[in-house]
Amino acid sequence: MTDPNTAITRESMEYDVVIVGAGPSGLSAAIRLKQLDPDLSVVVLEKGSEVGAHILSGAVLDPVGLDALLPEWRTMDAPIKVPVKEDNFYVLGPAGKIRVPNFPMPPLMNNHGNYIVSMANVCRWMAGVAEGLGVEIFPGMACSQLVWSEDGKTVAGVVAGEFGLDPETALPGPAYEPGMELRGKYVFLSEGVRGSLAKEVINRFNLSDGHCPQKFGLGMKEIWEIDPEKHQIGTVTHTMGWPLGGNAGGGSFIYHLENNQVYVGFVVHLNYKNPHLYPYMEFQRFKHHPMVAELLKGGKRVAYGARAISEGGFQSIPKMVAPGVALLGCSAGLVNVPRIKGNHNAMLSGKAAAEAAYAAIKAGRQGDELTDYETEVRAGAIGRDLKKVRNVKPMWSKWGLKASLTLGGLDMWTNTLGFSLFGTLKHGKNDAAATGKAKDYKKIDYPKPDGVLSFDRLTNVAYSFTNHDENQPAHLRLKDPSVPIRVNLPEYDEPAQRYCPAGVYEVLGEGQDASFRINFQNCVHCKTCDIKDPSQNINWTTPMGGGGPNYPNM
């Protein structure tokens, strides 16, 4: 086939369903399709070097999605071995803490029956299940473009495996490999938060019209090996309050898994106003709280990563289908923010999309809108899960932490009973537009990392095992290269220097000598820059396949 824009000829392969992204939603869709009809041809394309390499999640897994997809999973040697035994919630001050008792919390906040897991390992296991059913899975295959029907109105496939673009011109170089067109009767986009192809589809078809803007958080996570005497397998702890205070919404999680390891994570809501806020350093400062420092004392950090999180919830779910294509999981924003869980809904969305596509193909259809999928998501288990908690995030954003705890808790209780005193609250402006001007906010003084509990960004990025081939164009593209120094630096003190958790962006020099550097090799694919840049000048695109982080058991 020939790309009309570049006159590049590509080979093509035809499938019934093409799935972009080997996360929980994409793999669930692939498994369900083969359960329904073993003769369906299904391919999963994954940009990471292996399945799981780009998967980062908390994670406490609600098994409801897995129960629906693979009811016998408990007998299938799944890497889901640590049930939650204890559930703690604290509001932190600089040196102390207040325990929030469990009994006043609505039942949906209870973690009884859930499991502490590595979603990277869960996805590796799910990929094995899918391949056993006959699904073709290709890691290291970044999907760089959509393939359109001849009239340009229907998504017909994707371009995957393009290599060898010139680093300077972004045009085919001497070692260019054009990749292939993988065409399907339906294309499922399960790229995770702010995927490049999903963003194109949402914009092309105006899928967000009539819905609140999507809201996001930045989640950062470290894996620690700690003193066995301090390890309490199955313990789940969440905190709010210090160190963020009134500067931003967010909080932490600490999960005790196997092998004397704990997941230590920190989430910062990206609608913060103060452009001097430094999310990564808030995370590092958090670990010096006496409660956390005592836990980690004598331990060692063994891995680090970061990822944006969709937080808009029910109000922000865009239209999920367009001709030939459907958005799955975090591509549609199906995270339950108060529960800090989205993997169960991702799995349920994959299952629902597969069932809709199967019915359509059996009826002789292709390339149309899978409206049954959208109906199931909004009216079924996913919609019910998200609708109960829909007001917590806007309450937090508008009225602060105390309102979120009190009124948000009340609203979740009443929603459990089938009604809300508040109706449906709306989100405000998007996270980029929420950023204030530098002159209106004080700079924040962050303590220097001590190298024991806290670490500088570049040292930590090494523990994400990130790698990109330097002989390629930067995948972080500026719409206008002059904006960082001409606009963002004087207006916002160029916040890219701080919001990126991997140290990708630097301002070098001062005054007339100032310049903006993009160290794309450091990128952990969190997508924060695409979300938070106040000028919306940064466009995250997929690099060559196999690049990015190589997370072990995130």
Side-chain angles (χ1 to χ4, degrees):
M1 305 300 291
T2 300
D3 184 328
N5 296 318
T6 58
I8 294 171
T9 300
R10 294 186 172 94
E11 296 181 4
S12 67
M13 295 181 65
E14 300 282 344
Y15 290 88
D16 289 308
V17 180
V18 174
I19 301 172
V20 180
S25 62
L27 291 169
S28 295
I31 290 168
R32 185 61 179 149
L33 284 163
K34 282 293 193 177
Q35 288 174 335
L36 291 166
D37 185 351
D39 293 329
L40 287 175
S41 56
V42 181
V43 64
V44 178
L45 304 164
E46 167 56 41
K47 65 181 172 68
S49 61
E50 64 169 351
V51 173
H54 290 180
I55 298 294
L56 186 148
S57 182
V60 172
L61 178 67
D62 181 339
V64 62
L66 212 48
D67 288 341
L69 180 71
L70 295 165
E72 303 300 318
W73 66 266
R74 290 171 179 80
T75 65
M76 296 172 65
D77 198 29
I80 305 172
K81 308 291 187 183
V82 182
V84 175
K85 296 179 180 178
E86 185 176 345
D87 209 355
N88 304 310
F89 185 75
Y90 296 97
V91 177
L92 300 185
K97 62 183 186 289
I98 298 173
R99 170 78 185 270
V100 178
N102 292 343
F103 71 84
M105 293 188 183
L108 61 88
M109 297 296 289
N110 191 335
N111 274 312
H112 179 73
N114 298 331
Y115 294 82
I116 300 171
V117 300
S118 157
M119 280 309 299
N121 288 339
V122 170
C123 287
R124 292 181 179 107
W125 169 76
M126 292 179 70
V129 173
E131 288 179 322
L133 293 171
V135 175
E136 296 179 39
I137 301 178
F138 297 112
M141 294 287 281
C143 297
S144 53
Q145 299 176 45
L146 294 167
V147 175
W148 297 89
S149 59
E150 290 188 10
D151 62 6
K153 295 181 179 180
T154 302
V155 175
V158 296
V159 174
E162 186 178 31
F163 290 90
L165 293 173
D166 183 89
E168 300 299 326
T169 66
L171 297 173
Y176 180 67
E177 299 177 25
M180 296 187 66
E181 287 186 0
L182 292 102
R183 291 174 167 261
K185 293 171 182 168
Y186 295 99
V187 175
F188 291 170
L189 298 181
S190 49
E191 302 170 288
V193 174
R194 199 76 165 193
S196 52
L197 300 186
K199 190 169 77 164
E200 181 180 347
V201 166
I202 290 170
N203 291 337
R204 176 97 167 234
F205 292 103
N206 300 312
L207 300 186
S208 290
D209 286 3
H211 305 277
C212 287
Q214 187 57 263
K215 308 295 285 184
F216 298 92
L218 170 59
M220 298 157 284
K221 177 180 173 182
E222 295 171 354
I223 304 178
W224 281 71
E225 293 178 356
I226 65 168
D227 183 342
E229 293 186 3
K230 300 176 184 177
H231 188 255
Q232 298 178 316
I233 191 167
T235 297
V236 166
T237 298
H238 294 106
T239 77
M240 301 166 74
W242 189 88
L244 289 172
N247 285 324
S252 80
F253 59 86
I254 302 173
Y255 303 153
H256 292 243
L257 61 155
E258 307 111 312
N259 303 319
N260 297 316
Q261 290 190 333
V262 293
Y263 293 147
V264 182
F266 199 79
V267 177
V268 177
H269 298 175
L270 288 176
N271 62 347
Y272 62 83
K273 297 177 181 179
N274 186 343
H276 303 297
L277 188 82
Y278 196 159
Y280 175 83
M281 290 305 297
E282 296 285 350
F283 176 29
Q284 298 307 301
R285 182 160 62 173
F286 158 76
K287 290 181 292 175
H288 287 272
H289 188 278
M291 181 185 79
V292 185
E294 176 57 31
L295 175 69
L296 301 181
K297 183 179 178 181
K300 64 177 181 179
R301 164 226 41 197
V302 296
Y304 166 75
R307 191 71 172 90
I309 305 164
S310 62
E311 294 187 341
F314 188 79
Q315 300 92 312
S316 297
I317 300 172
K319 184 181 177 184
M320 301 174 66
V321 295
V325 66
L327 307 178
L328 277 57
C330 283
S331 290
L334 304 182
V335 171
N336 184 315
V337 174
R339 297 185 70 202
I340 321 178
K341 292 176 180 62
N343 291 304
H344 64 300
N345 285 337
M347 293 177 182
L348 290 171
S349 75
K351 178 176 178 289
E355 290 168 353
Y358 164 75
I361 292 169
K362 281 296 184 185
R365 292 159 41 205
Q366 69 177 70
D368 59 346
E369 294 190 0
L370 294 172
T371 54
D372 287 350
Y373 165 58
E374 175 121 17
T375 299
E376 171 59 26
V377 168
R378 295 188 184 276
I382 297 171
R384 291 192 296 271
D385 182 59
L386 296 180
K387 197 168 184 179
K388 291 175 183 176
V389 302
R390 65 191 182 278
N391 289 328
V392 176
K393 168 67 174 178
M395 283 179 176
W396 196 339
S397 299
K398 296 174 189 292
W399 303 330
L401 173 59
K402 290 181 180 179
S404 176
L405 285 173
T406 55
L407 298 179
L410 173 63
D411 193 59
M412 286 190 287
W413 263 112
T414 60
N415 271 286
T416 301
L417 301 173
F419 69 96
S420 171
L421 298 173
F422 301 93
T424 298
L425 300 178
K426 302 296 184 184
H427 295 297
K429 57 188 77 172
N430 67 41
D431 293 334
T435 311
K437 299 294 180 69
K439 64 181 177 58
D440 296 328
Y441 295 90
K442 292 182 179 180
K443 290 191 175 184
I444 302 172
D445 183 27
Y446 291 100
K448 184 178 179 181
D450 66 0
V452 179
L453 289 176
S454 50
F455 312 96
D456 66 80
R457 276 187 302 189
L458 294 184
T459 298
N460 239 358
V461 169
Y463 285 81
S464 69
F465 313 105
T466 293
N467 181 63
H468 291 91
D469 187 340
E470 296 186 10
N471 191 34
Q472 64 176 308
H475 62 282
L476 304 156
R477 299 177 184 173
L478 302 180
K479 299 172 186 175
D480 181 344
S482 74
V483 163
I485 300 303
R486 180 174 57 83
V487 178
N488 284 0
L489 186 59
E491 294 287 332
Y492 306 99
D493 195 28
E494 185 43 276
Q497 302 174 90
R498 293 173 294 280
Y499 60 58
C500 174
V504 169
Y505 302 101
E506 291 183 278
V507 173
L508 305 177
E510 297 179 358
Q512 296 296 317
D513 297 325
S515 62
F516 190 65
R517 175 185 288 176
I518 301 176
N519 304 300
F520 77 87
Q521 300 90 340
N522 293 355
C523 179
V524 294
H525 298 200
C526 74
K527 318 293 179 62
T528 302
C529 55
D530 194 293
I531 295 163
K532 186 59 177 172
D533 176 46
S535 298
Q536 287 291 270
N537 188 51
I538 300 173
N539 186 32
W540 193 98
T541 65
T542 185
M544 292 194 308
N550 286 281
Y551 295 135
N553 58 327
M554 286 289 193

